[in-house]
Each structure stands twice: as C-alpha cells, then as structure tokens.
Amino acid sequence: VGLASFLWKKLRLLEELEDTWLPYLTPKDDEFYQQWQLKYPKLILREAASVPELLHKEVQQAFLTLHKHGCFFRDLVRIQGKDLLTPVSRILIGNPGCTYKYLNTRLFTVPWPVKGSDAKYNEAEIAAACQTFLKLNSYLQVETIQALEELAAKEKANIDAVPVCIGPDFPRVGMGSSFDGHDEIDMKNRAAYNVTLLNFMDPQKMPYLKEEPYFGMGKMAVSWHHDENLVDRSAVAVYSYSCEGPEEESEDDPQLEGRDPDIWHVGFKISWDIETPGLAIPLHQGDCYFMLDDLNATHQHCVLAGLPPRFSSTHRVAECSTGTLEYILQRCQVALQNVREEADNGEISLKSLESVVLKQGEEIHNEVEFEWLRQYWFQGSRYKKCTDWWCQPMSQLEEMWRKMEWLTSAVLREVKREGVSMEQKNEMLTSILAAITTRQNLRREWHARVR
C-alpha cells in the first residue's frame, strides 16, 4: 500500500510538471542560504576542515581497506515485484546481531568491536576498519547530540539563525526549528546510532544512471527516498569521501547553470511539494551532513553522482525491535515450547492443539524462514568475507526451523488421526491454513528469485 501510494504521488507530480523543471538552488544562488534557513532548518552540513584530521585519515583508509578486501556488494532488492541490482555497493557494520532491512532486503551487520563482543575477523585490517567505523560512530553521536541541543536552545530563545555550515572560519551556530524541547536522554536516544550502512560507487564504471526527474539535477547514484526502518524522529549522520585528491578539487564554475556535474551532491526537497525550491549541496572529501529530528520523514533526499569514485558512511538508529538475533531466537523458543517430546527419527508430539498456539507457531515458522534464513543465504557467502560471526547463529536458526517443519507435520498428523472430531479437525486446519498458504506462495516466489 505504501509503495502504491508513493508511485501514485510520483505519477501525479510528473503529470503536473509536464515538460518543465522545478527550481532548485546551489550555493552559487543568492537565496540559497535563506531558503535553507526557512525550509530546511534541520539539515546541517559540517565541512571537512571542522573534522579532526586524524579521524579523516583513519576513516578514509578504512574505506579503502574494505574495498581492497572485496567487502562491498551490490544488493539485489525487490521493487514492484522485480529484482533489481542497486548501482551502489554496500556493507552494513554495527552492533553484533543487528540487521537493517530496506526494499525487502535484510542486511546483516559485520559487527564492530563493542565492549563484550567476541567477533573474530578474517583479516587484521578488516578488524581495524570496523574499529575505525565504531570510532567515527562515537564522534558523530557527540556531534549530533550537540546539534540537537543547539536546535532546542534556539527554539527556546525563539531565534532564527543561518543554517549550520561549519568550516574552519565559520562559527558554529544553531538553526530555528520546531524541535519540541525533549530532554537529554531523548536526545541521546535519537543519536544512538546502532548501525552504519557503508556505500561505494564508481560512476565511470556504471553504464547507466537515472536522470533526476523533477529538477533536472543530472545523474543520480541514489534516487529520491526517505531512509527506511529507523526509530521515529531519530537522526541520520553521513560522512562523505569522494576519492579525488585535494589538488584535483575544483570550485563551482560561476558560469555553469545548476550544479556542477563533476562534483558529488546531496539533493533535498520537501516531499511532494512543487512550490519550494530544492537544494543541491556539494559534497567534498570528508564533508559530513546530519538530518535531524523529523527531517527524514518530511523531506526526501537523493545522491547526485559526480565524476570520481565515492564512499559514504551513513549512521542510523535502526528500528530493531524485530530485527536482532536475540529477538528471533526468542521467537523460535516460543514456537518450540509446544514440543512435548522428540523421537529418534525427528518426529515430535505436541503439548497443545489450541488454535492460538498452533497459529502462532506457524507464523513464527514463516518469520524465521523468510525474514532470516532465506534472506541470509540468498545473499550468498558475502558475510564470510569479513567474519564468521553469523555462521553459528544461522546454524542454530536452521535447526530450530527444522523442528518447526516437524511441528507442522505433527499438526497434520493430528488432523488425520482417527477419533478426532470433524469440528476439531476444522478448527486446527483453520488456525494454520493462512500461514501455510503464505509459506507455499513465498517459497514459490523465493524459488523464482534464486533462479
């Protein structure tokens, strides 16, 4: 339903535009910063010179290390029933056991070495890279909290200020916003980044990139979107690293109309708004930007390709209530509580034939198969490039799934058993029919995807 609504709105917007472009602004335009202040007050840019030089060096080396070891992969995502390869290659790093799902694809973290983690890495260089991104994560958390505090302070003082664009000679200032003065704990929660999605793309090796459809901004590496599956009103922090050398960086040509197509940009627009000009913000080596509070919900953003290869580290507060290893293991335990005893041949008997118990068991059966096992193995052995952390948990989940297969067989044996009334048979079948039908359909769908 959400996708259908999105496509309908997009179609209506394109119909309204016909053959005209919506206006957009770059820093060359006189009204750029004023428009940023008025319409994009929760977007913050930190120029590279404001970030510690040592951190730049470590992060950029970590990107190159992971690329050298072949740790970036293009994702096969599902859009409108079609499987499409993303133009951007990615790897998810974050808290052990966390996952992040977007466009019907679940990514599994390569764990960063948080305290208490027992993660083992295939190469010492990969371990060092994961440590570096944990260090970057901590730095961006501090910066995000400070930015949120400044937003709250400006709101309280009812002061309008210019956008936060911090260079070496540019003072740190806040922005006017509708931030509603949450307490310190809430601010920390909104910046409690638990994963980072690393991205890489070399535009010169991409035979085709989509053109930006509304403003005429040029080639897109990532189309207009909201980031999915995040904690409500949580922040997103992005570190950008385009691979040109400092001597190769060029200033925007004042004679050039619109954005410089040689330079990477991030584009922003208010969702489904044809009155407010969009923004195209140039991203140079080591720049960071922050999307605060509800900006990700009220606005859309895209990534506009430049000439050089580019990495980015996008730090998020992933909504993990149903997306951690701990969660799915607990769910499996709930389903397997209905096992009375297990025979040597694997057959089991059931503790309960109550409809609610049987229904729940089959729903969990589907969840572990289609949200976890098939998602993991569909992506092949990509995670083994970095670590074997997920191997043992996946084996454990497979064993639990196998028992659930026997649970389903046990229910069907009960249905066939003599002495069970027709009413009981119907009740049992009714309780599991929807889940089993879903399972059959999804297995066909996944079989087609694998082929």
Side-chain angles (χ1 to χ4, degrees):
V1 175
L3 180 60
S5 173
F6 169 82
L7 293 172
W8 181 80
K9 288 178 180 177
K10 180 177 179 180
L11 183 62
R12 286 291 302 275
L13 183 56
L14 290 172
E15 286 175 349
E16 286 188 55
L17 291 178
E18 294 182 341
D19 295 325
T20 62
W21 294 121
L22 291 173
Y24 76 95
L25 304 172
T26 72
K28 294 180 297 185
D29 297 302
D30 293 338
E31 62 270 40
F32 175 79
Y33 291 102
Q34 181 185 20
Q35 193 70 25
W36 188 345
Q37 171 189 342
L38 293 174
K39 299 296 184 178
Y40 301 86
K42 296 173 185 177
L43 169 63
I44 296 175
L45 175 69
R46 289 210 55 188
E47 293 179 347
S50 298
V51 180
E53 188 60 37
L54 178 59
L55 186 60
H56 279 310
K57 184 177 179 181
E58 291 176 347
V59 169
Q60 293 168 13
Q61 183 58 51
F63 279 130
L64 296 173
T65 293
L66 293 176
H67 187 262
K68 178 182 75 173
H69 286 285
C71 298
F72 287 87
F73 292 88
R74 295 172 70 186
D75 293 324
L76 195 62
V77 297
R78 197 161 182 80
I79 303 175
Q80 293 179 264
K82 296 180 180 179
D83 292 309
L84 303 171
L85 271 175
T86 58
V88 176
S89 301
R90 296 185 165 102
I91 177 176
L92 186 71
I93 300 177
N95 289 353
C98 271
T99 67
Y100 178 68
K101 192 175 181 185
Y102 80 106
L103 296 178
N104 298 304
T105 295
R106 184 179 299 279
L107 301 181
F108 298 76
T109 53
V110 173
W112 47 31
V114 293
K115 187 175 181 180
S117 170
D118 58 351
K120 295 178 176 60
Y121 304 91
N122 294 349
E123 300 284 347
E125 286 186 329
I126 293 176
C130 291
Q131 178 68 60
T132 295
F133 286 108
L134 179 60
K135 180 178 179 180
L136 176 63
N137 196 65
S138 299
Y139 172 81
L140 293 174
Q141 282 181 329
V142 171
E143 293 298 307
T144 304
I145 292 168
Q146 186 167 350
L148 287 169
E149 288 172 346
E150 290 170 358
L151 283 172
K154 294 296 181 183
E155 170 66 17
K156 189 173 182 180
N158 196 26
I159 296 173
D160 289 327
V162 297
V164 173
C165 178
I166 306 170
D169 303 314
F170 200 112
R172 178 189 291 273
V173 291
M175 294 180 282
S177 76
S178 59
F179 191 80
D180 45 7
H182 287 276
D183 59 24
E184 183 180 355
I185 294 175
D186 190 54
M187 287 184 185
K188 288 182 178 178
N189 289 338
R190 294 189 186 193
Y193 304 129
N194 50 12
V195 299
T196 180
L197 186 60
L198 271 57
N199 306 287
F200 171 76
M201 198 185 84
D202 184 350
Q204 304 306 312
K205 294 183 179 178
M206 297 303 299
Y208 172 75
L209 289 174
K210 286 184 179 179
E211 293 284 338
E212 193 284 312
Y214 307 122
F215 301 90
M217 291 178 174
K219 303 288 186 183
M220 295 187 298
V222 182
S223 300
W224 290 107
H225 67 287
H226 307 277
D227 287 340
E228 294 182 75
N229 291 324
L230 305 181
V231 169
D232 187 41
R233 302 175 83 94
S234 62
V236 177
V238 180
Y239 180 98
S240 180
Y241 172 44
S242 47
C243 299
E244 76 272 12
E247 70 283 354
E248 296 171 355
E249 291 184 10
S250 61
E251 296 299 321
D252 285 349
D253 181 355
Q255 302 304 315
L256 188 68
E257 189 171 329
R259 75 155 184 122
D260 185 342
D262 292 352
I263 296 174
W264 285 81
H265 288 66
V266 59
F268 280 88
K269 69 182 181 73
I270 300 176
S271 299
W272 316 116
D273 181 337
I274 64 172
E275 303 295 332
T276 304
L279 298 184
I281 301 171
L283 296 173
H284 296 291
Q285 194 177 82
D287 284 349
C288 300
Y289 62 91
F290 300 79
M291 296 185 283
L292 302 180
D293 195 38
D294 62 351
L295 182 77
N296 181 56
T298 59
H299 295 62
Q300 291 176 304
H301 59 283
C302 69
V303 181
L304 302 159
L307 282 182
R310 174 184 177 263
F311 295 93
S312 67
S313 182
T314 62
H315 298 249
R316 306 148 187 258
V317 190
E319 206 297 294
C320 281
S321 60
T322 62
T324 64
L325 176 63
E326 181 183 17
Y327 160 82
I328 193 60
L329 287 174
Q330 288 176 348
R331 289 280 285 169
C332 290
Q333 291 291 353
V334 168
L336 295 179
Q337 285 175 357
N338 199 29
V339 176
R340 183 186 297 279
E341 57 186 1
E342 186 173 354
D344 293 339
N345 65 356
E347 288 191 1
I348 60 178
S349 58
L350 304 174
K351 288 182 181 177
S352 172
L353 294 174
E354 290 183 25
S355 295
V356 64
V357 174
L358 299 182
K359 181 174 182 289
Q360 181 184 49
E362 297 304 326
E363 289 172 347
I364 295 171
H365 188 164
N366 286 353
E367 185 176 11
V368 70
E369 178 173 340
F370 300 109
E371 290 294 329
W372 291 82
L373 293 173
R374 289 185 181 271
Q375 288 276 359
Y376 182 82
W377 290 115
F378 183 61
Q379 297 171 49
S381 57
R382 64 161 65 179
Y383 299 102
K384 293 181 183 177
K385 281 271 188 179
C386 299
T387 177
D388 64 358
W389 194 92
W390 283 97
C391 293
Q392 189 278 329
M394 283 298 151
S395 295
Q396 186 179 359
L397 288 176
E398 283 182 24
E399 184 58 34
M400 290 173 151
W401 169 85
R402 196 169 288 110
K403 289 183 178 180
M404 290 180 212
E405 288 280 283
W406 285 110
L407 271 173
T408 303
S409 297
V411 176
L412 295 177
R413 280 200 311 274
E414 284 295 324
V415 170
K416 296 175 184 176
R417 187 167 59 85
E418 292 184 10
V420 178
S421 70
M422 188 58 68
E423 183 181 356
Q424 288 175 303
K425 290 176 188 280
N426 287 338
E427 189 175 336
M428 283 189 282
L429 285 174
T430 300
S431 65
I432 67 171
L433 183 60
I436 290 180
T437 302
T438 297
R439 188 176 311 150
Q440 183 181 43
N441 292 336
L442 286 175
R443 283 177 178 175
R444 287 172 180 162
E445 183 179 302
W446 274 95
H447 180 67
R449 292 190 77 186
V450 170
R451 284 196 304 173

